[in-house]
Amino acid sequence: MFKYSYDALVYASEPIETSIRRVARFGYDAIELVGEPAHHDVAEVRRLCDAEGIAVSSICSIFVGAERDLVALDPEMRRKGIDYAKSVVDFAAEVGAPTINLAPSPVGKLAPAGSRQQEWDLALESLAEIADYGAKAGIRTCLEPWNRYETYFLNRLDQALGLAAAVGHDNLGVMGDSFHMNIEDIDVAGNYRLAADRLFHVHFADSQRAAPGRGHIDFAPLVQALIEIDYQGYIAFELLPAAADPFATLRSGGGEEFLDAYTELAIKTIKAVEAEVRT
């Protein structure tokens, strides 16, 4: 059976101990932590995970704002983005997570500042440095494509594969999020097969980013593709309310279903699909 994780990003600003205990209570193998190293007590995270019998699957980097942009034309801004990614690598190594996720350009940046070739070359340079740094720590980096309403730079899994191949580091791969792929990729399952051993991580969410089973995505072909490529990573759930600012919704007490109800529904739904497909 696959290994399952839940992204703590979904829980907004609640105490991490609450999130870890909830994930463990509903039978998850691991938790995905938010990539803000300064907000975490590493020793406490490790103690809580050990006590609850779960691992840290991955770190979800938060690429928001001009200071977290790996293709910024300003070298100083680009350096801040690279240094941030390196801090996430350090954080992953400290909490025992094998993988970090990142996007080369921040969410909300919807148009290039330079030519496509110029930004592509800057991405190659930045990602090579981050991958080199990660290799020394034994951490894999995966590129996450986001849909066109969040970024212009990487929107499809095949684009991310092309960028990873151009960088040419074994510890640099891709991740596929079913929510974004449902918008951008013509064949989600086919692109999982295309990625094969470069697919380091997977996010599942339904068509409107709710828990699987609450939208219109048929997850059986996706699970089948992961089985066929002998996927060894985690399936992590990254769910968010259908709002222009989902985090404001969560912080204000809305989206209560994204806590216990969706944490339980997500793993139950996909484990049932997995069991049926494997049978």
Side-chain angles (χ1 to χ4, degrees):
M1 299 289 285
F2 291 124
K3 298 175 293 183
Y4 289 93
S5 180
Y6 202 90
D7 191 346
L9 184 72
V10 184
Y11 300 141
S13 55
E14 76 173 11
I16 190 62
E17 57 265 30
T18 304
S19 302
I20 289 171
R21 287 170 183 147
R22 179 186 296 111
V23 166
R25 185 167 78 252
F26 288 116
Y28 284 83
D29 302 288
I31 189 167
E32 181 166 301
L33 297 178
V34 177
E36 296 290 2
H39 296 174
H40 292 86
D41 181 330
V42 169
E44 181 66 2
V45 167
R46 293 187 68 114
R47 185 191 70 78
L48 288 164
C49 286
D50 288 346
E52 297 297 335
I54 65 168
V56 178
S57 63
S58 40
I59 308 297
C60 180
S61 301
I62 307 299
F63 271 79
V64 177
E67 294 188 352
R68 295 182 182 180
D69 186 349
L70 302 180
V71 300
L73 300 187
D74 182 339
E76 183 178 346
M77 289 295 103
R78 196 164 64 252
R79 170 51 50 193
K80 288 181 178 180
I82 293 169
D83 289 346
Y84 164 69
K86 287 181 175 181
S87 76
V88 177
V89 168
D90 292 339
F91 180 41
E94 290 171 346
V95 296
T99 304
I100 71 165
N101 318 326
L102 60 78
S105 188
V107 66
K109 184 181 176 183
L110 301 179
S115 72
R116 178 69 179 176
Q117 187 61 53
Q118 185 179 22
E119 293 197 339
W120 181 267
D121 291 342
L122 291 174
L124 295 178
E125 181 182 313
S126 298
L127 291 168
E129 182 174 343
I130 294 164
D132 279 337
Y133 190 80
K136 294 172 184 175
I139 303 299
R140 301 189 305 180
T141 298
C142 45
L143 304 174
E144 180 179 12
W146 294 335
N147 70 73
R148 72 192 74 180
Y149 307 108
E150 297 186 30
T151 186
Y152 68 95
F153 193 79
L154 286 182
N155 301 125
R156 303 188 313 273
L157 199 62
D158 61 297
Q159 293 173 329
L161 279 169
L163 181 55
V167 176
H169 286 59
D170 289 343
N171 68 318
L172 179 67
V174 300
M175 66 164 290
D177 184 309
S178 63
F179 167 72
H180 297 296
M181 296 177 78
N182 169 69
I183 298 171
E184 300 292 352
D185 292 56
I186 295 173
D187 182 355
V188 177
N191 275 351
Y192 281 159
R193 292 186 181 92
L194 180 67
D197 58 358
R198 283 280 187 177
L199 187 66
F200 290 171
H201 196 57
V202 167
H203 276 170
F204 271 4
D206 218 321
S207 53
Q208 80 285 48
R209 220 167 190 176
R214 286 292 182 264
H216 61 67
I217 293 179
D218 180 0
F219 284 91
L222 280 59
V223 169
Q224 179 66 50
L226 295 177
I227 291 170
E228 288 178 11
I229 65 172
D230 192 27
Y231 176 68
Q232 296 295 309
Y234 287 89
I235 294 176
F237 299 100
E238 185 183 73
L239 318 174
L240 290 171
D245 186 346
F247 300 105
T249 299
L250 294 168
R251 286 193 298 268
S252 67
E256 186 176 346
E257 67 275 17
F258 285 82
L259 303 178
D260 284 8
Y262 278 3
T263 304
E264 181 178 22
L265 178 62
I267 192 169
K268 280 189 172 181
T269 299
I270 298 303
K271 276 192 170 183
V273 170
E274 182 185 358
E276 183 175 355
V277 170
R278 289 188 186 276
T279 301

